[in-house]
Amino acid sequence: MLAEIKNVSKTYESDGNKIQVLDSINFAVEDNDFICIVGPSGCGKSTLLRIIVGLEKPTSGEVFFKGEVIAPDNPKVAMVFQNFALFPWLTVKENIELVLESKKQGEEAEKVACKYIKAVGLDNFERVYPRELSGGMKQRVGFARALAVEPVLLCMDEPFSSLDALTSQNLKDELLMLWADTSMPPDAVIMVTHNVEEAVYMANRIIILSPRPGKIVADLKIELERPRNRKDPEFYRWVDKVYSLIV
Ligand code: ADP
């Protein structure tokens, strides 16, 4: 087992009001999992992901990574954000080298940065600034930066939702190739999405949350062969099944 989410609940307090966002979330992440978390807007999907990567603390419960309580600076877990979260004053290569700073410097950092810039198809853009890149290319930098730390677990919050359809399809297929390639990180992926088709296309497991406070209503194993075909009636049966479980 790679990670374990154990009895995680979260309540926010603002102006004296308590809002419970997550209620007793339990699941395990295995090697080679590609888990998509879906559910209605506001049900706590992003909150759960931030808790899993250690960016936020649960009110109760715990997240274990390889048997230890997750820490925010765990180098084996990386995050890709919907809005890319790049530093505009740094070039593509510098944005990636920055996350390597504590582990690798100089030529070594440069080598790793270039490896992942290439892996996401951005060779020749090393010295370019984010403002000169399209949304799809910015997100490629987001992926390269996350992969450069060679994470075992890659967490992604709606990484494709601000991209056009064609760009996002290409990136999805490239990401699936990286996930299936045992010589490249990551071993497992957790992705939050509101797009059910995208979840059925990518996941081997889909976890469906109820409206707030989010509880797990289903943890489905998607038994479709890869590469998946959106025109296959069986694909649509899965999409319908997931929709039928989302309230
Ligand atoms: P989802 O990703 O499923 O749309 P979120 O996890 O973003 O849901 O948010 C779930 C709920 O928690 C929302 O009602 C949101 O307003 C609330 N929330 C999220 N972050 C905070 C915070 N830092 N303080 C107070 N409420 C928050």
Side-chain angles (χ1 to χ4, degrees):
M1 190 196 308
L2 206 60
E4 194 178 11
I5 290 78
K6 248 186 145 169
N7 263 323
V8 163
S9 295
K10 178 77 181 178
T11 300
Y12 286 114
E13 235 185 300
S14 63
D15 300 334
N17 294 323
K18 285 191 173 176
I19 307 168
Q20 189 177 10
V21 176
L22 294 169
D23 185 7
S24 310
I25 303 287
N26 282 292
F27 67 97
V29 184
E30 306 292 343
D31 273 340
N32 305 323
D33 259 342
F34 196 124
I35 298 175
C36 282
I37 300 174
V38 302
S41 179
C43 73
K45 301 184 289 298
S46 298
T47 305
L48 177 59
L49 201 65
R50 287 200 301 273
I51 291 173
I52 293 171
V53 297
L55 288 175
E56 209 161 317
K57 283 212 174 305
T59 310
S60 60
E62 271 163 322
V63 175
F64 295 95
F65 180 78
K66 295 204 167 176
E68 304 212 342
V69 174
I70 190 87
D73 56 354
N74 185 328
K76 294 289 160 206
V77 181
M79 177 96 161
V80 174
F81 300 90
Q82 179 181 359
N83 61 2
F84 324 127
L86 303 177
F87 291 113
W89 59 88
L90 297 179
T91 64
V92 166
K93 190 155 73 71
E94 288 164 349
N95 261 284
I96 297 166
E97 283 169 350
L98 188 69
V99 298
L100 298 171
E101 220 170 36
S102 60
K103 288 199 307 180
K104 298 185 171 80
Q105 280 103 34
E107 264 178 40
E108 210 193 338
E110 192 168 351
K111 209 170 127 196
V112 175
C114 290
K115 174 178 170 186
Y116 288 99
I117 288 171
K118 195 160 176 232
V120 299
L122 276 183
D123 4 6
N124 301 326
F125 288 91
E126 291 87 349
R127 280 165 224 292
V128 164
Y129 288 89
R131 64 173 178 274
E132 300 167 66
L133 300 174
S134 66
M137 290 161 94
K138 283 187 190 132
Q139 194 55 302
R140 283 175 194 269
V141 183
F143 281 122
R145 181 184 52 189
L147 294 170
V149 299
E150 310 202 314
V152 173
L153 176 62
L154 179 66
C155 293
M156 310 192 288
D157 192 357
E158 304 262 11
F160 305 109
S161 60
S162 56
L163 306 179
D164 67 82
L166 199 62
T167 306
S168 99
Q169 188 51 47
N170 288 339
L171 263 179
K172 281 175 204 173
D173 286 334
E174 286 170 34
L175 182 73
L176 285 171
M177 269 162 53
L178 283 173
W179 166 69
D181 183 343
T182 50
S183 69
M184 295 282 273
D187 291 353
V189 176
I190 304 179
M191 178 168 98
V192 162
T193 178
H194 63 265
N195 183 331
V196 172
E197 251 199 46
E198 176 175 294
V200 173
Y201 186 73
M202 301 193 80
N204 70 329
R205 271 169 74 193
I206 298 184
I207 291 179
I208 301 167
L209 298 186
S210 68
R212 201 183 75 204
K215 275 188 197 182
I216 296 183
V217 293
D219 185 343
L220 299 175
K221 190 159 185 260
I222 309 297
E223 281 151 353
L224 278 171
E225 280 183 17
R226 296 180 190 268
R228 292 179 177 166
N229 177 2
R230 289 194 176 76
K231 295 190 178 116
D232 181 354
E234 192 61 14
F235 184 93
Y236 262 88
R237 272 197 281 281
W238 279 104
V239 172
D240 285 345
K241 186 175 171 106
V242 175
Y243 270 121
S244 72
L245 290 163
I246 298 178
V247 181

